[in-house]
Amino acid sequence: MQYPHLFRPLELGFATLPNRILMGSMHTGLESRPDGIERLAAFYAERAKGGAALIVTGGFSPNDAGNLSAHRAEFSTAEDSAAHRPVPRAVHEAGARIVLQLLHSGRYGFHERIVAPSAVKSPINPHLPREMTPAQIEQTIDDFARAAALAREAGYDGVEVMGSEGYLVTQFLALRTNRRADDWGGSLENRMRFATEVVRRTRAAAGRDFIIVYRISALDLVEQGLAAEEIVQVGRAVEAAGATILNTGIGWHEARIPTIAQAVPRGAFAWAARRLKQAVRIPVVASNRINAPEVAEAILARGDADMVSLARAMLADPDFASKAKAGDRAGINICIACNQACLDHYFIGQPASCVVNPRAGRETKLVFSRTRSKKRIAVVGGGPAGLSCAAHAAERGHAVTLYEKSAELGGQFNLAKVIPGKQEFGESIDYFAERLRRAGVDIVLRTSPTDADLKRFDEIVIATGVDPRTPPIPGVDGANVASYLDVLTGRVQPGRNVAIIGMGGIGFDVALYLLERGSRATLDPEAFAAHWGISEKAREANPRHHITMLKRSHTPFGHTLGRTTGWVHRAELARNGVRMIKGVEYREIDPAGVHITADGKEMLVPADTVVVCAGQDPRNEIKGNHVIGGAKEASELDAKRAMLEGAELAAQL
Ligand SMILES: Cc1cc2nc3c(=O)[nH]c(=O)nc-3n(C[C@H](O)[C@H](O)[C@H](O)COP(=O)(O)OP(=O)(O)OC[C@H]3O[C@@H](n4cnc5c(N)ncnc54)[C@H](O)[C@@H]3O)c2cc1C
Ligand SMILES: Cc1cc2nc3c(=O)[nH]c(=O)nc-3n(C[C@H](O)[C@H](O)[C@H](O)COP(=O)(O)O)c2cc1C
Ligand code: SF4
């Protein structure tokens, strides 16, 4: 066995888990949809079949005030309990256990009815919460307990009490949000009464043989959050109140230190779980950025935790656990921590899915059935769109040939993988290359197919991607001008002063690449903790380039970046003194730099090197009967769309 600690059973007293893998809670957005239960049942069943020992559902509120948004995602009535039955049933049939997460949003809810220990507004929510009366507090605790009893009736094996990430339970714990002078505020003993009472009454309501996971904030990462020794005290207190398992959560949502983004190295917070494991006797779960079996195994082998929580890793690959058990590391589709199709979807009202696995969250809709009429299919282009299409089409039983004109598969992912934090894009390429090999795809590298080559195919899929666009600025063909391609492939070494034309995702990535390449902060937990000021005062930046970023539009800087990750990029560039100018009119580029007009003033942006990141155009010189990804539409292109289009087309061919 390659991962012996990961696949050791765990004894809970009244139940035994077959391995140490917990699927972390993810609110999918399906919770409040009319067809949500059916889709959730399929979503969780697929992960249960894939070998996760214990699944935690996304958060459901135990009462009305605790809903996360105006859409009801509540578990508080007998009707809710009856409606949920298919979910635990499907998971049990697939051989796993499942607990329902009870999450009261407190001041984080996006609606008018929110309540909190004190009327203190969150910096990330426009709504002011109402201060809870003592009677409301008592009622809310009872609501948790009642929801747990209803969860038991629905067939769930337990509940997880969400006591982290800055939601209601945490709001009681921290002085930052709890200004009360009654029995629920003041001393730590008073502030943790809400948490311990929830666990105690939940235990009383749901019985002894019911799993109660308490998700503890192992690190608050905000001012006036709990200190390390207080967190340990909370852990001990919820253990004494009757919790079965202590899961960990990292950082409040309003923390300005990344906790799940690509800037966070794998397994970066296992040390915080270790601190709790040393203080309690119940099993402790490590969480965040555990996306590969060797990372999970190392955490368990070191004794940092008794279990590992994998949330997004389970979106990327529902069969993560069974593949790891079989030692099939190369067969695991690795989560690249982009948040683009999962967490970011929450903010645009779409169900969570996954960039590298578009079927996630679409289990009942995107179905890859075995074909009854095998076709010869040519896929031209081996970027994300082509890889996704070729893999799914071949797995359905078609005879697929993939033409790639360069020497390697991956398309633009080969550029992305050199950006600090995006190293894992390289893993994605390796994974898809392996998947194509296993599915028997005929891969033809260094070849742009001719009309004659393509004649023998029944279907021709064009996935030839994009070409960088060169804006019509006088001097753009000068010796000091380079494209992002030149810089990221190392063909051009920029000078000390750099101007970047264009502030989309690629412009930001190029700036980050120039400033942070060679840094260990996205790779090594210790370097990360120092970089972000967790373990010591954040180090002063010593940028090797003076960078000015320019854009024509007046929209906010970085507005096209991910909703949950853009701020990390902006913070990193700000720390390195990157200057940003918008509303720019480009007049000319000459050896001195870029001459612009901004705010009605003419000025020179001095630059030894000008890097053009000004958009892309579709590359579609070859004709076929299907066009996907960048070849179809270059504007607002990302891998999410490219992979989804590839998969959707493959499902229909
Ligand atoms: C620095 C950088 C960072 C990025 N970061 C992200 C990110 O964080 N998230 C995200 O979603 N997206 C990101 N992207 C964008 C993402 O990589 C693209 O959206 C995606 O690669 C587009 O996929 P595609 O398959 O349509 O095209 P491409 O990736 O461009 O692939 C097209 C492929 O077709 C091949 N080809 C072209 N012509 C022919 C021909 N005639 N015959 C055979 N083969 C041909 C090319 O060589 C290439 O391999 C990033 C891009 C860059 C450059
Ligand atoms: C789409 C999405 C929804 C989430 N919803 C919840 C939630 O409802 N409750 C919760 O405790 N954590 C939630 N989380 C946080 C995860 O449980 C987990 O802590 C986080 O994703 C980091 O772990 P990972 O790197 O294994 O994904 C969510 C995460 C994602 C990506
Ligand atoms: S969308 Fe990105 S972060 Fe979310 S699960 Fe998929 S790969 Fe991971």
Side-chain angles (χ1 to χ4, degrees):
M1 169 90 63
Q2 258 178 320
Y3 309 109
H5 294 84
L6 197 51
F7 291 97
R8 225 166 22 146
L10 179 68
E11 188 49 60
L12 296 178
F14 54 90
T16 307
L17 301 178
N19 62 53
R20 306 297 176 112
I21 300 177
L22 172 145
M23 175 175 162
S25 170
M26 283 178 289
H27 191 85
T28 58
L30 297 173
E31 290 76 3
S32 40
R33 299 213 163 204
D35 60 351
I37 291 295
E38 180 202 343
R39 291 175 66 180
L40 282 173
F43 172 74
Y44 290 124
E46 214 152 282
R47 273 93 196 146
K49 272 190 211 111
L54 181 61
I55 290 174
V56 185
T57 68
F60 285 88
S61 175
N63 62 24
D64 174 58
N67 273 289
L68 274 166
S69 72
H71 302 291
R72 184 178 186 273
E74 205 174 307
F75 192 87
S76 59
T77 64
E79 290 74 37
D80 293 329
S81 176
H84 269 246
R85 283 203 180 114
V87 175
R89 193 187 310 131
V91 169
H92 292 155
E93 279 167 12
R97 286 189 162 79
I98 181 162
V99 300
L100 178 91
Q101 190 184 67
L102 296 176
L103 181 158
H104 189 300
S105 62
R107 70 175 190 162
Y108 275 170
F110 276 82
H111 53 85
E112 304 289 339
R113 307 178 304 285
I114 56 173
V115 295
S118 305
V120 183
K121 203 174 85 62
S122 154
I124 56 170
N125 190 345
H127 302 289
L128 176 70
R130 268 181 301 116
E131 178 173 312
M132 294 167 85
T133 63
Q136 277 175 322
I137 294 174
E138 292 288 348
Q139 182 59 53
T140 304
I141 296 169
D142 286 342
D143 291 341
F144 270 94
R146 176 175 150 76
L150 288 170
R152 184 171 187 131
E153 268 174 49
Y156 284 106
D157 301 281
V159 291
E160 177 171 271
V161 174
M162 180 43 162
S164 98
E165 263 103 344
Y167 292 108
L168 182 71
V169 178
T170 351
Q171 291 161 26
F172 269 95
L173 287 165
L175 286 171
R176 179 180 181 82
T177 38
N178 185 341
R179 311 276 162 84
R180 302 181 73 96
D182 60 7
D183 287 352
W184 304 98
S187 66
L188 179 63
E189 198 190 343
N190 278 358
R191 281 180 279 131
M192 65 185 182
R193 180 163 297 122
F194 185 80
T196 53
E197 274 303 292
V198 166
V199 174
R200 199 182 60 74
R201 290 188 213 173
T202 296
R203 173 61 73 211
R208 290 165 63 85
D209 55 344
F210 192 63
I211 299 174
I212 300 180
V213 185
Y214 179 85
R215 190 162 202 196
I216 188 169
S217 183
L219 276 177
D220 283 348
L221 302 178
V222 289
E223 273 177 35
Q224 291 188 292
L226 295 197
E229 58 279 11
E230 293 178 312
I231 292 169
V232 164
Q233 282 187 56
V234 174
R236 289 199 180 114
V238 294
E239 175 179 33
T244 322
I245 294 175
L246 206 53
N247 189 5
T248 51
I250 306 293
W252 289 32
H253 286 317
E254 65 207 60
R256 290 298 91 178
I257 293 172
T259 55
I260 74 168
Q262 288 163 338
V264 181
R266 293 174 169 187
F269 298 108
W271 59 270
R274 184 184 184 89
R275 199 158 61 191
L276 284 159
K277 179 166 159 55
Q278 286 166 346
V280 300
R281 277 171 312 218
I282 51 176
V284 171
V285 188
S287 174
N288 287 47
R289 288 289 277 134
I290 303 171
N291 65 346
E294 65 276 14
V295 179
E297 175 66 16
I299 288 169
L300 298 174
R302 276 198 310 268
D304 290 348
D306 304 286
M307 286 188 88
V308 285
S309 163
L310 280 67
R312 293 168 300 166
M314 291 279 173
L315 284 178
D317 197 331
D319 297 321
F320 182 103
S322 55
K323 288 175 183 171
K325 190 169 184 191
D328 182 15
R329 173 67 174 83
I332 296 179
N333 196 358
I334 292 288
C335 160
I336 56 177
C338 63
N339 283 2
Q340 289 171 230
C342 52
L343 209 49
D344 287 351
H345 269 203
Y346 179 73
F347 295 94
I348 52 171
Q350 282 186 25
S353 184
C354 175
V355 166
V356 297
N357 175 25
R359 191 173 138 76
R362 298 187 176 94
E363 284 74 13
T364 57
K365 302 202 177 291
L366 188 53
V367 179
F368 301 103
S369 53
R370 192 87 193 151
T371 182
R372 284 204 214 112
S373 62
K374 182 169 176 173
K375 293 179 184 169
R376 287 160 303 176
I377 299 174
V379 176
V380 187
L387 290 173
S388 167
C389 184
H392 288 110
E395 285 160 2
R396 290 192 55 218
H398 292 301
V400 179
T401 301
L402 178 83
Y403 292 99
E404 167 54 51
K405 91 172 169 192
S406 76
E408 55 186 0
L409 295 175
Q412 288 204 344
F413 267 24
N414 288 301
L415 299 173
K417 74 183 182 192
V418 306
I419 309 298
K422 294 194 176 177
Q423 300 86 352
E424 284 166 347
F425 283 58
E427 285 226 25
S428 246
I429 302 173
D430 295 344
Y431 162 78
F432 274 97
E434 175 64 14
R435 200 165 146 186
L436 296 195
R437 197 186 61 72
R438 291 184 189 182
V441 174
D442 182 16
I443 302 170
V444 188
L445 295 177
R446 298 183 190 82
T447 304
S448 175
T450 60
D451 288 348
D453 291 327
L454 293 175
K455 258 199 193 114
R456 65 189 171 92
F457 292 98
D458 304 313
E459 308 276 0
I460 299 166
V461 180
I462 304 302
T464 45
V466 288
D467 281 320
R469 186 182 300 150
T470 306
I473 305 170
V476 77
D477 51 356
N480 60 339
V481 182
S483 85
Y484 62 83
L485 265 172
D486 300 320
V487 174
L488 298 178
T489 53
R491 283 200 295 266
V492 167
Q493 299 294 331
R496 182 127 176 94
N497 290 318
V498 177
I500 297 178
I501 292 183
M503 263 196 246
I506 294 178
F508 271 82
D509 273 356
V510 167
L512 203 60
Y513 169 78
L514 293 175
L515 295 166
E516 294 288 329
R517 68 189 189 277
S519 156
R520 307 266 320 143
T522 62
L523 295 170
D524 167 33
E526 273 182 40
F528 168 80
H531 186 82
W532 288 93
I534 300 173
S535 57
E536 53 193 77
K537 192 169 177 295
R539 286 188 200 127
E540 292 281 303
N542 183 17
R544 61 189 115 192
H545 297 279
H546 293 304
I547 298 180
T548 307
M549 298 179 72
L550 306 167
K551 68 171 186 169
R552 273 203 312 238
S553 77
H554 290 272
T555 51
F557 298 121
H559 82 292
T560 58
L561 302 177
R563 287 293 292 264
T564 58
T565 51
W567 67 271
V568 184
H569 288 72
R570 283 191 290 268
E572 201 63 274
L573 299 196
R575 173 218 288 266
N576 281 285
V578 172
R579 191 174 159 218
M580 299 184 185
I581 309 177
K582 58 184 170 181
V584 165
E585 209 180 291
Y586 299 104
R587 289 173 26 242
E588 186 185 7
I589 302 173
D590 68 13
V594 190
H595 297 266
I596 62 168
T597 305
D599 277 338
K601 277 186 262 159
E602 293 191 355
M603 60 173 110
L604 168 70
V605 176
D608 311 307
T609 311
V610 179
V611 187
V612 177
C613 309
Q616 318 181 99
D617 293 310
R619 189 195 293 138
N620 47 21
E621 67 273 9
I622 299 184
K623 300 295 168 221
N625 49 344
H626 307 279
V627 189
I628 55 175
K632 179 177 168 194
E633 172 68 61
S635 70
E636 314 223 336
L637 172 66
D638 62 12
K640 181 175 83 172
R641 172 158 73 77
M643 292 245 183
L644 177 61
E645 282 179 10
E648 283 180 336
L649 175 60
Q652 290 157 19
L653 287 172

